[in-house]
Amino acid sequence: MINLESRRNQNIAVLGLGVSGLMAARALQRSGANVLAWDDNETQCKEAVAAGIPIVNLYKKSFRKMDALVLAPGVPFTNQPHKIVEKAKFLNKPILGDIELLIEACPQSRFIGITGTNGKSTTTALIGHILEFAGVYAQIGGNFGIPALGLNQPNKDEIIILELSSYQLDLTSKASFDIAVFINLSPDHFDRHGDMNGYFKAKQRIFRTRNEGSPKQLAVIGLDDKYGKKVYISLEQKSRWEITPISMSETLSCGFFVKDGFLFEAKEGNATKISNLNPIKTLKGTHNWQNAAAAT
C-alpha cells in the first residue's frame, strides 16, 4: 500500500467506496489522515465499516474544514456532477483521484501512463511483460489490475505502469508521466464527459508537461484516427516532448508501424523489420497489432 505522508493530519473526504475508493480511504487512514468516507450504496458503506473506515453522511457534513475531496473514478464529476462534488466545488476544495495521490507520494518513481478508448489493458500488460523479460522491475496498476494506491511502496527510480481511464485522468490536475501512451480515440463515455470534445479533453490530460529543467517526456501516439493526429501536431510544437508515432495504416518514416502483420521500426526514413506478429495467437487482428506497436 502507498504511504501518503503529505496528507498526514489532513481532513479528507472520500466519496465512492468501490475497489479503488476503498483502497484510497485505507491508504489515507493508514498514512495518518482523518478520513470521512461515504457511498450512496449501503452495501459499500458496510464493507468500509468492516475495513475500519469511518462512514459520515457527506450530504450533511460541512466541507469548510475539509482539506480535499478524494473521488472514486466512477462518481459523476464533469457532466451533471454528484451533489457532494458540487458542494466541494462551491467551497473551492481540491477534488482529486487516486492517480494524483500516487504520483504526489512517489516523486522519485518513473511513471508510464497508457490511455485510449480500446487496447489499454493489453498494451499495459505487454509493457509489463517486456520490462519483466528485460529484467527491469516494474509494477502494474491503475484501471487494470491493482488499484493505484494498493501498489507496493516503490523503490527509488522504480517504474510504475498505469492504465488510465478518462475518468481517472479527469481527476488529475498536477500528475504527469515520463512516458505517455495515447493509443486511439473513438466516441465513448458521453454520460461522464458530455460530448466528444469533453472526452478528448480528459484524455489529453495524460500529456501534462513538466516544469522547465525536468528530463524530456516521451509521447507514444497512435496516428490512425484524427484525435491522435491532433495530439501529435499539438505536441510537436512543445519542446519538452519527444514523440514516437505508431500506425497500422501508414508506412512511417519515423516511429513504429505494422504492415501485413510485420512490425517495423523506422528511423530517418529507413524501416527495420523487428517482429512477425502473425504467429502470435494472443495478438490477432489489427487492433492487437496497434497495441504491440505501442508497447514496443
Side-chain angles (χ1 to χ4, degrees), residues 74-115:
V75 177
F77 175 61
T78 314
N79 185 43
Q80 297 180 342
H82 192 284
K83 287 183 179 179
I84 293 171
V85 171
E86 290 181 332
K87 187 175 175 179
K89 285 182 176 180
F90 179 76
L91 292 173
N92 293 316
K93 298 297 181 180
I95 301 173
L96 54 153
D98 59 352
I99 301 299
E100 187 88 348
L101 287 170
L102 170 66
I103 294 178
E104 173 189 299
C106 305
Q108 294 184 312
S109 298
R110 291 177 289 172
F111 289 91
I112 301 174
I114 301 102
T115 200

Side-chain angles (χ1 to χ4, degrees), residues 210-222:
R210 289 178 174 168
N211 295 332
E212 194 73 33
S214 301
K216 275 196 172 184
Q217 294 161 267
L218 172 64
V220 178
I221 304 174

Side-chain angles (χ1 to χ4, degrees), residues 8-162:
R8 181 175 294 278
N9 296 325
Q10 289 191 359
N11 296 316
I12 308 290
V14 178
L15 177 59
L17 296 171
V19 176
S20 63
L22 184 58
M23 183 61 73
R26 290 176 59 204
L28 284 160
Q29 187 181 59
R30 184 179 173 185
S31 302
N34 178 29
V35 175
L36 304 173
W38 181 255
D39 195 298
D40 292 335
N41 185 310
E42 186 178 348
T43 300
Q44 300 293 86
C45 287
K46 288 179 179 178
E47 289 182 9
V49 170
I53 303 299
I55 295 296
V56 175
N57 188 335
L58 295 178
Y59 290 99
K60 299 178 180 179
K61 182 70 177 177
S62 171
F63 268 48
R64 294 194 180 278
K65 293 184 179 180
M66 291 294 176
D67 292 292
L69 171 63
V70 171
L71 210 59
V75 177
F77 175 61
T78 314
N79 185 43
Q80 297 180 342
H82 192 284
K83 287 183 179 179
I84 293 171
V85 171
E86 290 181 332
K87 187 175 175 179
K89 285 182 176 180
F90 179 76
L91 292 173
N92 293 316
K93 298 297 181 180
I95 301 173
L96 54 153
D98 59 352
I99 301 299
E100 187 88 348
L101 287 170
L102 170 66
I103 294 178
E104 173 189 299
C106 305
Q108 294 184 312
S109 298
R110 291 177 289 172
F111 289 91
I112 301 174
I114 301 102
T115 200
T117 303
N118 300 301
K120 297 186 295 295
S121 296
T122 301
T123 302
T124 301
L126 283 170
I127 292 172
H129 174 71
I130 290 168
L131 291 179
E132 182 183 12
F133 190 79
V136 178
Y137 186 70
Q139 296 187 68
I140 296 176
N143 197 51
F144 173 76
I146 301 169
L149 297 177
L151 295 168
N152 295 324
Q153 189 68 32
N155 298 319
K156 182 183 177 182
D157 294 329
E158 187 175 320
I159 297 173
I160 298 177
I161 309 161
L162 296 171

